[in-house]
Amino acid sequence: MDSIGLALDQNPSGASDDFPALLRRRGLLPAVPAQTGMAPTADPAWIPTQATTILAFKFQGGVLVAGDRRATSGHTVVYDRADKVLEIDRHSIMAIAGVPATAWEMARVLEHSFQFFRRTQLQEMSVDGKVRALSKLLRDNFGFVLQGVGIVVPIFATYDSGADPSARLYFYDAMGAQFEVADYAATGSGSPAVRGILYYENNWGKKPLVKLTEDEAVTVALRALDTAAESDTATGGVDRNAKIFPVIKIVSRGGITTLPEKRIGALFKRTVA
Amino acid sequence: MIEEPYRWVEAIANRAEYIETQLAAGSPIAAVGYRDGILFVTLGRGRQKVFEIYDRIAMGAIGHPGDIERLRMAAIELASAEGFTRSAADVSLRRLAHYSLSPVLKTAFEQVYGAPYLARILFAEIGAKQESDLFLRLEYDGAIATNSANFEQTRQDFGAISGTRQSTELMEKFLQAEHSAGATFERAMKIALDAWTVGHLALGDGGVKELPARDKILSERKDRLRTAGVEAAVLERDDKIALRYRGLSATEIRSALGD
């Protein structure tokens, strides 16, 4: 373990550094290499990719977040059990499209940031603070994005147990702008198809998304991911032979539940396959 | 003034005396290991004294709030950076105290031109099994005492700090006699509160020198509970959850005490 200097950090403002600042001070965050002055899109071979499909929508029981499990590199499938729906704390989920190395590191920084805040400041970080923390990480990462590596476009779902308890759902762009959504969000290469389905279901389906029961919500999510996989090579959808199902998690007042594969499998068999 | 060695020794002795005087009024803190975790208990009127450091580590401290705060922040930063770069399993109280905090405290204490830390800290780390629970007392001069077995004591399932050495020793004596590792939560709460009471009775010039009688402890405890609030927190022995620290609510404390 590191040794600390004799003069421990003074904390005159009463608020400590946030966790990324601590990492930076200790040289634990990668610094973005200096810009070469080249226009980022000068290399025509470089196309920004977010090869995956992530979706999230509000339903009766909170927010459902689902992601396929395929990881690709160019046209190659490198992994078929990737987990892109990550638990950050007891009530928050970050689901990622983009470069896994950056995204997982970002999730790790975020997870530690929330805990670091709670431990040092002796209070839970507010939902707005959490949403902003992710935004800041994306902003800090944008130098890498401009250089053609490390793009991450996440969705953030959490439960606000403040004055007006409710599930909250946000999507981000690669620069860190956050958008709160009322109904649903989707990101990744397969998202256009998913967005179409969710829009249709929400407006002309049997009932709006927010009124769906848990089983109905999971069915919609599975069908949407299967549709995305139908045309998008980078989306795994449901692997019927190997029985690999999407990761589905639900954020509600009581915390996060991960749906067991068995249950997803049974629902898939009954309502999708 | 202190170029000569004996002057330095004198200065250090004065400084130790000064710090001891400053700490002497500190309200005791008891930590006991029981079946399902480790319980920290103290009584106070306001200022929080028991804190979460990392997933499996907590601390209780007496001393100057500013110094406690600096040490607490340093401990959290060290543990968080370690847990982030390696893993939560690599964060260890033993390393944190021995390699990082103790040398800093010792240096600050011995550099007589600078200010020492006015703090005495009790750390605890919950283990996978009760046998590996660690209780560690860190003094203002960097000295460390743990609950592990050594040539003069058997392994203990508790730790205690108080304003004076006499008070701390009496609390330990009490816990040695009364506490058993297999205690339930309710039992642990009562024992820890009694240990606090023993420590409290031993404070000050007129403090008791021997373990007080049972009814004396009980009546004193009752008296104190009327004017001060109980602060308690647990580290839970549940390997299914990552974050083991939990501050106890007033309701939980009252129901454990049976009133």
Side-chain angles (χ1 to χ4, degrees):
Chain A
M1 197 164 283
D2 298 338
S3 61
I4 36 178
L6 179 58
L8 297 175
D9 295 319
Q10 297 295 324
N11 189 9
S13 66
S16 74
D17 279 348
D18 64 353
F19 187 68
L22 166 68
L23 294 180
R24 219 168 284 126
R25 203 164 71 225
R26 291 169 164 266
L28 296 173
L29 267 195
V32 180
Q35 288 291 311
T36 53
M38 259 171 48
T41 45
D43 178 3
W46 178 71
I47 305 157
T49 53
Q50 301 124 50
T52 199
T53 302
I54 297 292
L55 66 89
F57 59 85
K58 294 186 189 171
F59 71 108
Q60 261 185 26
V63 188
L64 176 148
V65 187
D68 78 301
R69 308 195 59 182
R70 177 170 291 178
T72 56
S73 170
H75 295 298
T76 313
V77 176
V78 290
Y79 192 40
D80 57 8
R81 287 166 203 277
D83 188 356
K84 307 165 190 174
V85 183
L86 310 171
E87 289 178 31
I88 303 297
D89 64 16
R90 266 146 87 173
H91 287 96
S92 309
I93 285 179
M94 172 182 167
I96 50 169
V99 176
T102 313
W104 282 326
E105 186 75 357
M106 222 176 249
R108 219 172 139 66
V109 173
L110 206 59
E111 181 187 350
H112 274 78
S113 296
F114 296 174
Q115 285 174 23
F116 185 78
F117 183 88
R118 191 193 64 246
R119 284 173 180 142
T120 57
Q121 307 303 305
L122 304 173
Q123 67 183 53
E124 194 71 34
M125 195 188 285
S126 69
V127 165
D128 288 343
K130 289 177 180 177
V131 167
R132 175 82 190 113
L134 177 52
S135 177
K136 208 156 163 288
L137 287 180
L138 289 164
R139 188 81 186 76
D140 290 348
N141 182 56
F142 196 62
F144 284 113
V145 177
L146 280 182
Q147 307 219 349
V149 286
I151 188 168
V152 175
V153 188
I155 284 177
F156 187 75
T158 189
Y159 198 89
D160 187 352
S161 41
D164 172 28
S166 61
R168 309 266 293 266
L169 179 58
Y170 301 82
F171 71 92
Y172 290 79
D173 70 8
M175 257 186 98
Q178 81 241 5
F179 306 93
E180 180 164 13
V181 296
D183 308 305
Y184 63 86
T187 177
S189 56
S191 62
V194 166
R195 219 169 280 137
I197 289 174
L198 292 178
Y199 184 82
Y200 185 92
E201 281 288 334
N202 202 28
N203 287 290
W204 303 294
K206 284 201 193 88
K207 41 186 165 174
L209 293 172
V210 74
K211 295 262 167 66
L212 296 183
T213 64
E214 192 172 300
D215 276 4
E216 289 166 341
V218 173
T219 302
V220 167
L222 287 172
R223 285 179 181 169
L225 282 175
D226 206 46
T227 310
E230 206 271 327
S231 60
D232 177 33
T233 55
T235 297
V238 177
D239 187 331
R240 290 164 167 83
N241 297 326
K243 299 218 170 355
I244 300 171
F245 295 102
V247 174
I248 301 182
K249 289 182 196 280
I250 289 166
V251 187
S252 62
R253 179 192 280 265
I256 295 171
T257 32
T258 306
L259 295 200
E261 277 205 349
K262 255 197 192 141
R263 171 133 183 253
I264 301 178
L267 257 175
F268 181 80
K269 214 165 150 192
R270 210 171 71 226
T271 61
V272 186
Chain B
M1 169 187 97
I2 54 163
E3 297 80 38
E4 301 157 64
Y6 73 91
R7 295 272 192 181
W8 182 80
V9 171
E10 201 179 294
I12 288 296
N14 285 342
R15 160 176 285 230
E17 200 186 315
Y18 162 70
I19 300 172
E20 288 289 357
T21 322
Q22 292 293 309
L23 294 178
S27 167
I29 300 174
V32 296
Y34 63 104
R35 232 172 27 197
D36 309 314
I38 292 173
L39 170 70
F40 275 82
V41 171
T42 185
L43 262 74
R45 296 202 189 92
R47 172 154 78 81
Q48 184 174 343
K49 291 193 298 182
V50 181
F51 306 97
E52 174 186 20
I53 299 299
Y54 203 66
D55 292 7
R56 291 176 295 113
I57 303 175
M59 74 171 228
I62 55 181
H64 191 285
D67 287 337
I68 293 172
E69 190 57 25
R70 284 198 292 162
L71 291 166
R72 181 178 82 88
M73 206 59 87
I76 293 175
E77 288 195 355
L78 287 160
S80 300
E82 176 78 359
F84 176 78
T85 40
R86 298 199 175 85
S87 81
D90 291 300
V91 176
S92 101
L93 172 56
R94 185 181 55 79
R95 291 168 61 221
L96 182 69
H98 281 90
Y99 304 157
S100 300
L101 296 175
S102 169
V104 170
L105 286 167
K106 181 172 182 347
T107 313
F109 174 68
E110 288 179 348
Q111 287 185 346
V112 287
Y113 287 122
Y117 288 94
L118 300 180
R120 178 175 287 144
I121 304 181
L122 174 64
F123 286 103
E125 177 183 61
I126 187 104
K129 291 197 182 117
Q130 198 159 5
E131 297 89 82
S132 47
D133 285 355
L134 177 62
F135 296 86
L136 187 150
R137 187 172 68 228
L138 185 61
E139 292 287 345
Y140 53 84
D141 60 355
I144 288 175
T146 71
N147 65 320
S148 56
N150 59 33
F151 59 87
E152 59 184 10
Q153 72 172 35
T154 51
R155 221 195 91 83
Q156 300 169 331
D157 282 290
F158 58 81
I161 53 171
S162 185
T164 63
R165 173 184 288 263
Q166 181 182 308
S167 166
T168 308
E169 278 171 1
L170 217 52
M171 286 173 79
E172 285 175 345
K173 198 167 160 193
F174 174 81
L175 286 165
Q176 188 79 59
E178 301 288 326
H179 178 58
S180 66
T184 60
F185 172 66
E186 287 77 15
R187 173 94 188 129
M189 178 64 87
K190 288 202 176 87
I191 287 288
L193 256 186
D194 283 348
W196 182 90
T197 312
V198 169
H200 183 75
L201 282 167
L203 286 177
D205 291 335
V208 295
K209 306 232 171 352
E210 290 300 321
L211 278 184
R214 179 129 286 279
D215 53 339
K216 176 116 200 265
I217 297 177
L218 271 176
S219 70
E220 176 72 11
R221 185 175 101 187
K222 238 184 211 154
D223 273 1
R224 290 296 137 201
L225 280 178
R226 235 177 263 136
T227 51
V230 179
E231 181 185 349
V234 288
L235 288 165
E236 291 174 300
R237 199 184 309 288
D238 177 357
D239 51 21
K240 282 189 230 39
I241 50 170
L243 310 179
R244 311 294 186 82
Y245 179 90
R246 196 164 61 82
L248 297 183
S249 67
T251 327
E252 281 174 290
I253 295 169
R254 265 201 303 276
S255 83
L257 290 173
D259 32 75

